[in-house]
């Protein structure tokens, strides 16, 4: 018996750990495109960008722990480039790796702003190398322009302001994070940027970059204005890393080519399961909607479950997770649980006291967004998980309106 | 079994509380509070889930 896990990051690591914990003692091969041992990404846009932040990434586990304690064969720095589900083989630049059970955990790759390849000073933020480059630029006192007011871009802006450096965030929509948190919470996020001295430009497109001697010098906007810049960070989302699956028969989503799974993470091909940022998964909690969730907790939970299910499909059960993410902006803790797709959003605690918004479908609470209310967020998560009543959630929120 | 926390790494993200609300809570200072330091063996599964869920790996089970 061989378990092959493709993708050596959070979901892949949790897959191998949970296989061993479930008592599986067969062969495990972990194939990863990056040279690094599995490491944690959230700090890359937080502590890593501080002037006195950590100098290098700390892997979750040492090579000895992975190889000896967990008995994992590591193939790192070598991307998988094909899958044949009939013969149950993954190809890795000419080497064929046979599997009985396979976990696809190749995550996502940051989208680049088109036509900027090779221009110095233009970055995305996904890997340890990216973080080192962005930090080096901030260390030199860069004037920064962030394209896209998403979570990662906003954390970069936060890091720049923490150093007192000028930063502009350019967003095409009329509020930040509309798709992720909705209008009410998006407006609060916009205020956090402005209060911290970030120049937030909404309803504006970036139409091109200007350069001098191969290095970026400015960002051209749809308004005609050119913002001077020595550092441009594109925070415009990430695309599932599934190029290696294009001809495999693994079902891929028509919009973004993510792997389509049922609620047990099965792809429909025998023995093949997927987990983490790469996977579209049906969630029974939210009317069987399918979503590709790109959060830490989701990758950890799905990675662990995918390996157990791949090794013992008869015992596979649907996952019923409540998506959760956090983000740190300008010293504020932003947290969200559940789904933003709601019939109604109610502001339960105004921004003066942190901020809480609740999300309703029918008579149920399906989501909650908070700023600086860390003691309460998990109370909402439990209500969302239990398909809790809207009226009770609103009543609970009313008891919290005194300062956090 | 004993629960150990590293309060300098804990960031109060609350996943432990989500997994095992009878044993963990995010406290007033924004870091984890252990509600029951010596839980019975019957809770091992929930507690392991809580330890695994901490995004900053701030929890350990001893024994
Ligand atoms: C800068 C940053 C900050 C974040 N902050 C937060 C946060 O505050 N809160 C939160 O909840 N989430 C946060 N996230 C999201 C979280 O880190 C991700 O959800 C998580 O990393 C997903 O894990 P994954 O294993 O599914 O995918 P990934 O981490 O994307 O890993 C996939 C791995 O597979 C490898 N791979 C790709 N193709 C192949 C191939 N063909 N063969 C072999 N290997 C391959 C990749 O190189 C990569 O190492 C952040 C992400 C980033 C980038
Ligand atoms: S999950 Fe981890 S970081 Fe979050 S409160 Fe618990 S111990 Fe702290």
């Amino acid at each position: 018996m061989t378990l092959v896990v493709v993708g050596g990051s959070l979901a892949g690591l949790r897959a191998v750990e949970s296989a061993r914990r479930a008592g599986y003692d067969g062969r495990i091969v972990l194939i990863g495109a990056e040279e690094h041992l599995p490491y944690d990404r959230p700090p890359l846009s937080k502590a890593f960008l501080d002037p006195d932040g950590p100098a290098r990434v700390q892997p979750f586990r040492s090579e000895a722990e992975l190889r000896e304690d967990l008995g994992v064969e590591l193939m790192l720095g070598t991307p998988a480039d094909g899958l044949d589900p009939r013969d149950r083989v993954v190809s890795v630049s000419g080497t064929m790796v046979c599997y009985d059970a396979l976990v696809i955990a190749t995550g996502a790759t940051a989208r680049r702003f088109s036509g900027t390849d090779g221009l110095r000073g233009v970055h995305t933020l996904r890997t340890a190398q990216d973080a080192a480059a962005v930090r080096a630029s901030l260390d030199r006192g860069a004037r920064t322009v962030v394209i896209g007011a998403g979570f990662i871009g906003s954390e970069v802006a936060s890091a720049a302001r923490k150093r007192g450096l000028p930063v502009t965030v350019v967003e095409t929509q009329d509020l930040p994070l509309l798709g992720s948190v909705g209008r009410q919470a998006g407006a609060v996020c916009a205020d956090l940027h402005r209060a911290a001295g970030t120049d937030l430009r909404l309803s504006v497109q970036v139409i091109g970059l200007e350069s001098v001697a191969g290095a970026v010098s400015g960002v051209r906007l749809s308004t005609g204005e050119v913002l001077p810049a020595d550092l441009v960070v594109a925070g415009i989302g990430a695309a599932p890393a599934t190029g290696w699956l294009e001809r495999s028969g693994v079902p891929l989503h028509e919009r973004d080519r993510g792997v389509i799974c049922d609620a047990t993470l099965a792809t429909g091909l025998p023995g093949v399961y997927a987990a983490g940022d790469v996977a579209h998964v049906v969630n029974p909690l939210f009317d069987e909607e399918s979503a590709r969730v790109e959060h830490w907790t989701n990758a950890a939970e799905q990675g662990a479950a995918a390996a157990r299910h791949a090794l013992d499909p008869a015992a596979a059960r649907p996952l019923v997770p409540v998506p959760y993410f956090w983000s740190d902006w300008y010293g504020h803790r932003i947290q969200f649980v559940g789904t933003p797709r709601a019939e109604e959003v109610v502001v339960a605690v105004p921004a003066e006291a942190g901020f809480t918004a609740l999300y309703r479908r029918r008579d149920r609470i399906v989501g909650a967004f908070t700023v600086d209310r860390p003691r309460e967020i998990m109370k909402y998560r439990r209500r969302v998980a239990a398909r809790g009543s809207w009226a009770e959630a609103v009543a609970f929120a009313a008891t919290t309106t005194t300062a956090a | 079994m004993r629960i150990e926390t590293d309060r300098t790494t804990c960031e109060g993200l609350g996943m432990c509380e989500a997994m095992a609300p009878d044993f963990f809570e995010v406290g007033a200072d924004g870091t984890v509070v252990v509600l029951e330091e010596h839980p019975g063996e019957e809770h091992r599964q929930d507690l392991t889930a809580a330890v695994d869920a901490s995004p900053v790996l701030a929890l350990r089970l001893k024994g």
Side-chain angles (χ1 to χ4, degrees), chain A residues 297 301 321-324 337-338 368 376-386, chain B residues 14-15 18-19:
Chain A
T297 301
E301 287 176 1
V322 182
Y324 164 60
V337 294
E376 289 148 29
I377 190 74
M378 290 302 155
K379 315 272 188 297
Y380 294 114
R381 190 178 194 266
R382 244 171 284 155
R383 288 168 196 275
V384 173
Chain B
M15 278 309 296
M19 294 295 157

Side-chain angles (χ1 to χ4, degrees), chain A residues 14 21 324 333 379 382, chain B residues 11 13-14 17 19 52:
Chain A
R14 286 302 159 95
R21 190 173 284 158
Y324 164 60
R333 166 63 52 80
K379 315 272 188 297
R382 244 171 284 155
Chain B
E11 293 189 13
L13 296 168
E17 177 180 333
M19 294 295 157
D52 283 352

Side-chain angles (χ1 to χ4, degrees), chain A residues 5-13 31-34 36 38-46 75 78-82 92 104-109 125-127 131 151-152 155 241-245 275-279 293-300 302 324-328, chain B residues 13 55:
Chain A
V5 176
V6 186
S9 180
L10 178 60
L13 174 74
I31 302 169
E34 291 180 81
H36 290 274
Y39 61 91
D40 204 18
R41 298 195 198 281
L44 299 180
S45 52
K46 302 179 181 72
M75 294 178 74
T78 52
D81 47 33
V92 184
I104 298 171
T106 45
T109 315
L125 185 42
R126 183 84 199 173
T127 65
F151 288 109
I152 292 173
E155 290 187 339
T242 54
W244 65 288
L245 295 171
D277 283 16
V278 78
V293 175
E294 296 178 271
H295 307 149
W296 196 98
T297 301
N298 178 71
Q302 288 182 351
Y324 164 60
F325 68 74
W326 76 97
S327 187
D328 295 330
Chain B
L13 296 168

Side-chain angles (χ1 to χ4, degrees), chain A residues 190-252:
Chain A
D191 289 342
L192 290 178
H193 281 301
R194 295 191 185 107
T198 293
D199 181 6
L200 177 65
R201 307 291 184 92
L202 299 171
S203 309
V204 176
Q205 280 93 46
V206 171
I207 55 173
L209 301 184
E210 307 206 327
S211 61
V212 174
V216 70
S217 62
V219 175
R220 216 169 331 110
L221 303 181
S222 51
T223 54
E225 190 180 351
V226 176
L227 303 170
D230 332 281
L231 169 64
V232 173
V233 179
I236 51 178
T242 54
W244 65 288
L245 295 171
E246 274 301 334
R247 280 180 301 280
S248 67
V250 169
L252 300 179

Side-chain angles (χ1 to χ4, degrees), chain B residues 1-4 36-39 44 47 60-63:
Chain B
M1 206 173 13
R2 196 159 56 86
I3 300 173
E4 281 184 5
E36 160 73 75
E37 252 175 69
H38 299 278
R44 183 174 291 273
L47 291 168
R60 294 260 179 290
L61 277 188
K62 283 280 157 74

Side-chain angles (χ1 to χ4, degrees), chain A residues 52 157 188 239:
Chain A
D52 54 357
V188 170

